[in-house]
Amino acid sequence: MLGYALRRIAGIVPVLLILLTVSFFVIRLAPGGPFAAARALSARTRAELRQRYGLDRPLAVQYAAYLRALAHGDLGRSYSLRDEPVAGLIGAGLPVSAELGAAALALGALSGIALGMAAVLRRGGVIDRALAPLAAVTLALPSFVIGPLLALIVGVWLRWLPVAGWQPDTPRDLVLPAITLALPLIASIARLTRASLLEVLNASYIRTARARGLGRARVLWRHALRPALVPVVSYLGPAATYLVTGSLVVESVFELPGTGRYLVMGAIDRDYTLVMGMVLVYGTLTLLANLGADLLHAWLDPRVRHEAP
Amino acid sequence: MSSIPTSAEAMGAAHEAPALLALHALSVHFAGVPVVDAVSLAVRAGECLGVVGESGAGKSLTFLAALGLAPSAAAVSGRARFGATELIGCTERALDALRGRHIGLVFQDPMGALTPHLRIGAQLTEPILRHTGCSRRAARARALELLEQVRLAAPARCLQQYPHELSGGMRQRVLLAIALSCDPQLLILDEPTTALDVTIQAQILALLAHIKRERRLGLVLVTHDFAALAGLADRVAVMRAGRVIETGSAAQVFHAPRERYTRELLQAAREPAVPGGAPAARGAGAPVLAVEDLTVRYRQRGARRRRGEIVALQAVTVAIAPGESLAVVGESGCGKSTLTRAALRLVGAAHGRIAWLGREVGAWPERRLRALRRDLQLIFQDPLSSLDPRLSVERLVGEPLEIHHGELDAQARATRVAAMLERVGLDPALATRRPHELSGGQCQRVGIARAMILAPRLLVCDEPLSALDVRAQRQIGALLEALRREQGMSVLWVSHDLGAVRRGCERVLVLYQGAMAELAPSEALFSRPLHPYTRALLAAVPVADPDVQPGRLAQVRLTDGEPPPAGGCAFRTRCPQATARCTEQRPPWIEAGAGRWVACHHFERGADGMLRG
Ligand SMILES: Nc1ncnc2c1ncn2[C@@H]1O[C@H](COP(=O)(O)OP(=O)(O)OP(=O)(O)O)[C@@H](O)[C@H]1O
Ligand code: SF4
Ligand SMILES: [Mg+2]
């Protein structure tokens, strides 16, 4: 299992390299370029700037330089944000974004699984019946609607939590954004858990476990839950992708100083170094999430573990 | 005693012992439709009740309902008493105190009955810990002891393994051990041997006979096969369409059945599945299928990178003449299916020569094989999963025509399909149904129709009967045999059950661990088997006769030895005739009479070890 995990982690590196290479060329081939939008610049200043950032050199040379710098941990400097080193921007923003993502994921997984189980335990009960409409609403409403709505109810009317903004070391600021981000996840995971658990409970081995007189609780927790979580775990990959795009919106709605805004900013300003930095961060996170899903799957099912090449 | 229900008296109890479990007018309805209809049965300590009936007769449901395990959609009524406890309407908690403690259950389907993510040890100690409250250590010791009692070859290792690492026979032993773990008074077994090889089936049945003798517990054995009951049941109840239609002592039901249906079931269990008859007109010409020195190796990937090679098939040479029927027989994992798949060029890694219809096709690319393929058709073991669930019966049967006979228009195709459906005995009303709306037997008929519509020269049948109940087996066996004779085609019949092919096939090839053990005309093979393995296979075939079967079961070895290291005869750890020579030398493949071949150093000796003239 450990060897399998290490090999999988090593496997991430080439994928990431391909991702970076493709992004590197694609953003440069796209129309427009840095400083093109800033009309106030004279042609001379623009040329000077291009020269300073090495953008006048052939693409292959730029690429080689980028790789060389990357190998030394240097992600370059942002063109648009006053020459800030991209690594520094990430260092400041990532903790906020990562905390938000992790909180949303944990919230989504735990309450989704709990709700799904509750729905199965009381078939036709309140939770069971509420699940489908809840899913419809949370999946249909975009987070820039859910977010302000929650902020309005909880922050403005009830005054339980701050409406927006961020002070370091105040986890309270994260509660609303995390819930906003997690709501669609909760709904999807609850429905997945419900369907999968219902199927597992019909399995022959569940009948055998009941025939051993183990009691309802033990049959559920020990025999049914783990196999039922397999589809939920497979959903972690897509969920990670959702978290990345979702956090862009949620961060801007709640004015969180995360990394999401850099991705938007970088894309609009054609700030190549910034975009590459963001591709590196979000690419790594997505790949890690997929890896985590596979490892969890292997843990859940010994057959996968034994087949693992 | 007031707890003896009237149903027990109604059954004419010979001994006066009180019933352990007594069902009285037990019914199960699904959406108002009765599937179990007023069933009354009783079983006493030390007695084995056999419940027999076709698939769908309600046998399983009866006992599931009695123990509160019926699906939630089932409406259960009537009474079921275990000792002094009424089980119907009793709380889940009270049932849990009985299930696994006083009543052990083993269900149909050993492959799916163990929780996949828990080790055998955990699953086996679970009921012990729960019901007896002993220490973990004591539970483990008890688990080990139980695995020994069910004659598992390596009990200590087994405790550490996951279900998927065990064979079907091993899993069934584990399930039996779990059911026995708390010394139950009553053991209910639902089709405990149906999914297993005949040799393993014989071992499990013999083990049950042993357990019954040793422990004096009440035993309920549910099955569709009278032969499985013969050595064990003291009393027999026959079920049909949700009702018990006949009950009586084993001797009475086996020897003097009252109901016609019972007689039919008995007859089905006594006849080989594939009927005999005049051999088909033997066409002249090259063999339809011939393989020479066919060897297949699979790369094995072990858990800890224990890489190795499995020789799935070793130097097999055999040919099927036009119109001939050849059976390939052996236990699961012996390479039967590998042989058929390699011979039909469906696995890549085969070495040796392969000829179809006289043409050497071993090196042909798939593109070239296509035209010949329509003459060599295959039908499968699992009828349902081999058919596309989205297509109607009509489309399924017509599809091969679309592929291979593009010149036919829709009208001509429909005519042929209709004729074929009629030929395989499928009601035209079924033509628009999809596979999951059919019974197992009907599915298999669709598979046959699909293969036969191209009028192939060879039909390869890979265990086409093993998913069916006895009566459906007989019907499908008879259908295939009739088709063979009408069309003069050849049949390659793959089975784990020598008994099933007893009369139907002209020659039999016995495989053991991928290598040929014996090849002979079937008359000769059944009257005088030469290889000890062939004799073991024959001895394992259950006989539906309560006077004969106990003696046969008593002969069965309860367990197999571990497979021996390479070199020498692969069968030697299971062979009663093995000598030192068998360890040193691999037995050669030698001709032992007209058309008879065998791989055994001591084939001249009979089962008694005496030299024959
Ligand atoms: N969940 C269900 N919903 C509706 N009908 C069902 C359900 N489960 C079983 N049945 C029906 O109940 C009848 C009896 O089923 P049961 O499993 O007891 O048969 P059986 O005699 O054990 O057959 P087999 O030999 O195939 O195991 C069948 O007609 C089956 O189709
Ligand atoms: S060669 Fe020896 S061990 Fe093998 S079957 Fe013959 S007698 Fe038995
Ligand atoms: Mg059944």
Side-chain angles (χ1 to χ4, degrees), chain B residues 153-191:
Chain B
R157 188 177 69 213
C158 180
L159 285 179
Q160 297 301 320
Q161 282 174 310
Y162 288 100
H164 72 272
E165 298 173 81
L166 309 183
S167 70
M170 290 164 85
R171 291 186 211 191
Q172 196 58 282
R173 285 171 203 262
V174 168
L175 286 165
L176 206 52
I178 291 177
L180 288 172
S181 60
C182 295
D183 262 321
Q185 293 160 267
L186 177 66
L187 189 58
I188 298 176
L189 305 146
D190 189 355
E191 307 273 10

Side-chain angles (χ1 to χ4, degrees), chain A residues 65-82:
Chain A
Y66 172 71
L67 284 189
R68 211 173 310 123
L70 186 65
H72 292 97
D74 178 7
L75 299 180
R77 284 167 185 278
S78 160
Y79 311 151
S80 52
L81 291 170
R82 286 158 280 110

Side-chain angles (χ1 to χ4, degrees), chain B residues 59-60 108 190-191 222:
Chain B
K59 312 175 297 279
S60 305
Q108 221 162 351
D190 189 355
E191 307 273 10
V222 175

Side-chain angles (χ1 to χ4, degrees), chain A residues 201 206-220, chain B residues 64-72 85-100 130-131:
Chain A
L201 287 178
I206 296 300
R207 202 173 55 180
T208 313
R210 290 181 61 202
R212 271 175 254 169
L214 298 180
R216 204 175 142 93
R218 190 167 173 92
V219 170
L220 183 71
Chain B
L64 287 174
L67 291 161
L69 294 170
S72 50
T85 319
E86 174 59 50
L87 301 177
I88 306 297
C90 147
T91 64
E92 192 73 12
R93 185 178 289 266
L95 283 172
D96 276 335
L98 292 177
R99 296 192 294 230
R130 166 143 188 133
H131 294 297

Side-chain angles (χ1 to χ4, degrees), chain B residues 280-364:
Chain B
R282 182 66 62 86
V288 288
L289 179 71
V291 297
E292 205 179 308
D293 265 333
L294 190 65
T295 299
V296 177
R297 293 192 187 87
Y298 289 122
R299 225 174 248 295
Q300 186 186 26
R301 274 198 295 228
R304 282 172 203 288
R305 306 254 235 145
R306 259 187 284 112
R307 300 246 162 120
E309 268 190 345
I310 304 182
V311 183
L313 206 62
Q314 201 170 18
V316 172
T317 301
V318 70
I320 308 169
E324 188 191 21
S325 60
L326 173 79
V328 177
V329 177
E331 54 207 4
S332 97
C334 77
K336 305 181 294 280
S337 297
T338 306
L339 171 59
T340 58
R341 269 183 260 131
L344 293 182
R345 292 272 330 261
L346 298 172
V347 288
H351 299 272
R353 295 173 44 186
I354 302 170
W356 294 357
L357 308 168
R359 267 167 286 187
E360 186 89 25
V361 298
W364 284 18

